[in-house]
Amino acid sequence: MTLEAVILAAGEGTRMRSALPKSLHQIGGAPMLAHILKAAGALNPAKIHLVVARRGGDLVKDAVERGLAARRAEELLGKICWATQESSLGTGHAVMQAMPAVGRESTLLVLYGDTPLLRASTLARLAAVKDGVALLTAELENPDGFGRIVRGAGGEIERIIEHKDADAAQKKIRECNAGCMAAPAKVIADALGGIRPDNAQRELYLTDVVAAAAAAGARITACHPDAIEETIGVNTQADLACAERVFQLEQAREVMARGLCLRDPARFDLRGRFEFGRDCALDINVILEGEISLGARCRIGANSVIRNSSIGDDSVIEANCVLDGAVVGANCVIGPFARLRPRAQLADGARAGNFVEIKNSRVGRGAKANHLSYIGDSEIGAGANIGAGVITCNYDGANKHRSVIGEDVFVGSNSALVAPLRIGDGATIGAGSTITQDVAAADLAVGRARQRAVRGWKRPVKKTGQ
Ligand code: UD1
Ligand code: CA
């Protein structure tokens, strides 16, 4: 039988207390919905029906389309069929919105957009059901808020009772509905025809499909997740944080298994894709976002944030650096407290020390800016030394201009280099200069007032009697 999936993402998400549709809240830097889509997509279903709300539905659609395009997942995108639920009348009602487009001969896997940690391997076992209804259930320590699995005297599943509708005895049941089921589409369609909103929330519950199918003679089977954490359903910000920690710990374990040295796996956050060579080490509280690659033997200091950047072999990022869209060569030393902004390119052996900001600039092999500098829209030749407090004045209030600084140039401390500007190879700029004209190779340029001495100068004396 062909497999189709439906993912429900049309709930109001009231308990999140947020204007953002719930399924767009992020885990590991990607919307929850992207995670569940990825897991469902791994089963290679013929179609994925996405049920979104009238309000906020466009945002969800946009995010999914942009996210899949960025991942070049056109094939998955092509499988998505959108359905709109006009108002949140319950999970059963949400599935009904997708049913007209579901092939009657297919197996239907129903998923919620707020259970981001479900693994494809778990879903595959559930989707392997041949007849009847397969439910994902788990014994939870704290089952509050979950639908409970009610079993008959012979142990067979009779129904799911929602927490809000459960009596005291039913609330003691610890076996819970994790929020996904699989069954032949026909079975679900027939059972949906028999559900009523006669419950505490006045909603059409998908979970009532179980009792209806059981009454019609269908066999109800329970599958269990590979890991209990997969069942986390995100209803509140606290649930979101909890799911995030589980997700990050999983990623931490995975990168350690690939040979990364993490000083503390509980203080590691990866929100994207991460490649690294052998013998790299990350200190605590490093945040990695987007696409990040490290060569071999790199060391990243504590509290650094690295986004969409690549770093070559044997380079060191000291503590408290922010890198965004930077390309760092081999044997570089960055920071502590350095900021590399988009299109900062450092060749092998370059250094950017504390409170140095570099943007849209190429820093040559072995060149150094060790303290308190701004380098923007510049080229710095190999071996150049940029002294403390040097600023490239790249902006005239309207346009940006380039500074081209040759090889082995020495720029004295606290100089302002007013772009557009060219400084030839081997030139020297005296400390404290404001350089507004090009400097020829090997020249010394000094652009500051000459020092003078005032003989017999008397310091002011504090006046008395006032
Ligand atoms: C649901 C289940 C509960 C299960 C739990 C697991 C029902 C009635 N209850 O409860 O048995 O233990 O998940 O996490 O199904 N949605 C819509 N349209 C709606 C209502 C909801 O699309 O009208 C979507 C939501 O966006 C969400 C999902 O369905 O992604 C689940 O809805 P939610 O309100 O979170 O259900 P729970 O109370 O968590
Ligand atoms: Ca939920």
Side-chain angles (χ1 to χ4, degrees):
M1 260 206 280
T2 51
L3 179 68
E4 295 188 28
V6 46
I7 304 176
L8 307 186
E12 286 179 348
T14 325
R15 291 165 281 181
M16 293 298 284
R17 298 188 186 279
S18 159
L20 193 68
K22 181 163 74 172
S23 60
L24 295 188
H25 285 266
Q26 297 192 336
I27 297 290
M32 291 200 281
L33 188 54
H35 291 272
I36 196 86
L37 254 175
K38 190 173 169 203
L43 272 55
N44 199 22
K47 288 183 190 170
I48 300 180
H49 306 268
L50 268 176
V51 185
V52 296
R54 167 67 56 205
R55 209 178 50 193
D58 285 348
L59 274 181
V60 177
K61 216 168 158 173
D62 227 55
V64 166
E65 285 172 355
R66 269 189 293 114
L68 291 180
R71 273 177 43 207
R72 298 203 181 77
E74 284 87 6
E75 200 194 335
L76 189 55
L77 192 56
K79 290 179 175 179
I80 295 178
C81 305
W82 296 95
T84 303
Q85 188 186 21
E86 294 294 334
S87 47
S88 301
L89 301 178
T91 48
H93 181 260
V95 176
M96 287 175 191
Q97 311 314 303
M99 288 315 281
V102 173
R104 281 296 177 270
E105 299 309 316
S106 58
T107 295
L108 191 60
L109 174 66
V110 184
L111 304 167
Y112 294 165
D114 66 352
T115 50
L117 303 182
L118 284 171
R119 296 182 192 164
S121 51
T122 293
L123 300 183
R125 283 190 286 110
L126 196 71
V129 60
K130 290 283 176 297
D131 59 4
V133 179
L135 284 180
L136 190 68
T137 79
E139 296 261 346
L140 300 184
E141 285 293 326
N142 177 13
D144 275 8
F146 283 84
R148 308 299 209 283
I149 307 297
V150 180
R151 290 178 181 265
E156 73 288 359
I157 296 175
E158 286 179 343
R159 61 181 296 209
I160 298 175
I161 181 91
E162 287 305 302
H163 182 87
K164 285 189 177 149
D165 301 300
D167 59 29
Q170 288 165 330
K171 282 200 174 108
K172 292 208 175 90
I173 300 173
R174 285 183 37 214
E175 188 184 7
C176 294
N177 169 32
C180 53
M181 66 170 69
K186 270 204 302 292
V187 173
I188 292 183
D190 290 348
L192 279 173
I195 65 173
R196 302 279 173 267
D198 48 4
N199 51 56
Q201 304 185 79
R202 304 254 141 260
E203 286 184 356
L204 289 164
Y205 290 162
L206 172 67
T207 43
D208 285 347
V209 154
V210 172
R219 206 162 70 91
I220 316 292
T221 48
C223 276
H224 306 300
D226 291 349
I228 199 88
E229 294 82 5
E230 288 180 64
T231 60
I232 293 176
V234 174
N235 297 320
T236 63
Q237 298 285 355
D239 295 334
L240 186 71
C242 176
E244 178 75 25
R245 275 353 295 159
V246 170
F247 180 77
Q248 291 299 348
L249 205 53
E250 259 170 37
Q251 294 196 129
R253 288 201 187 103
E254 192 252 340
V255 292
M256 288 190 292
R258 279 160 55 203
L260 187 74
C261 169
L262 277 187
R263 298 294 172 208
D264 182 358
R267 286 177 289 175
F268 166 72
D269 285 81
L270 168 57
R271 303 170 189 156
R273 287 202 346 194
F274 182 30
E275 298 297 329
F276 50 87
R278 288 199 124 186
D279 295 305
C280 290
L282 266 60
D283 210 328
I284 61 167
N285 292 335
V286 171
I287 299 178
L288 304 174
E289 294 182 348
E291 305 263 331
I292 305 100
S293 81
L294 304 185
R297 299 169 301 279
C298 293
R299 190 161 60 72
I300 314 288
N303 310 317
S304 289
V305 179
I306 303 181
R307 183 180 305 128
N308 295 325
S309 295
S310 76
I311 296 166
D313 293 347
D314 299 293
S315 284
V316 176
I317 311 295
E318 300 285 9
N320 298 298
C321 289
V322 178
L323 276 67
D324 181 4
V327 178
V328 175
N331 285 302
C332 292
V333 181
I334 311 295
F337 296 100
R339 179 174 182 209
L340 303 187
R341 291 170 51 198
R343 293 184 305 285
Q345 290 179 43
L346 279 69
D348 297 351
R351 286 173 175 247
N354 35 236
F355 306 105
V356 169
E357 175 182 350
I358 303 178
K359 180 214 86 170
N360 188 30
S361 294
R362 285 215 306 263
V363 178
R365 192 178 266 267
K368 298 183 205 128
N370 275 335
H371 334 263
L372 302 152
S373 263
Y374 171 62
I375 296 169
D377 304 308
S378 302
E379 265 169 58
I380 313 281
N385 184 84
I386 307 296
V390 170
I391 305 291
T392 55
C393 308
N394 59 327
Y395 186 49
D396 59 13
N399 295 299
K400 300 277 171 68
H401 303 281
R402 290 195 74 74
S403 297
V404 180
I405 297 169
E407 292 185 6
D408 294 315
V409 165
F410 181 96
V411 183
S413 295
N414 207 33
S415 292
L417 308 178
V418 182
L421 191 66
R422 300 185 83 86
I423 300 178
D425 293 349
T428 302
I429 308 296
S433 294
T434 298
I435 301 295
T436 54
Q437 292 163 25
D438 289 356
V439 178
D443 276 8
L444 165 67
V446 184
R448 64 184 184 220
R450 192 172 274 281
Q451 182 173 331
R452 65 191 176 102
V454 178
R455 284 278 139 74
W457 162 254
K458 296 272 185 302
R459 283 190 190 166
V461 180
K462 197 172 179 85
K463 291 183 181 155
T464 52
Q466 276 187 344

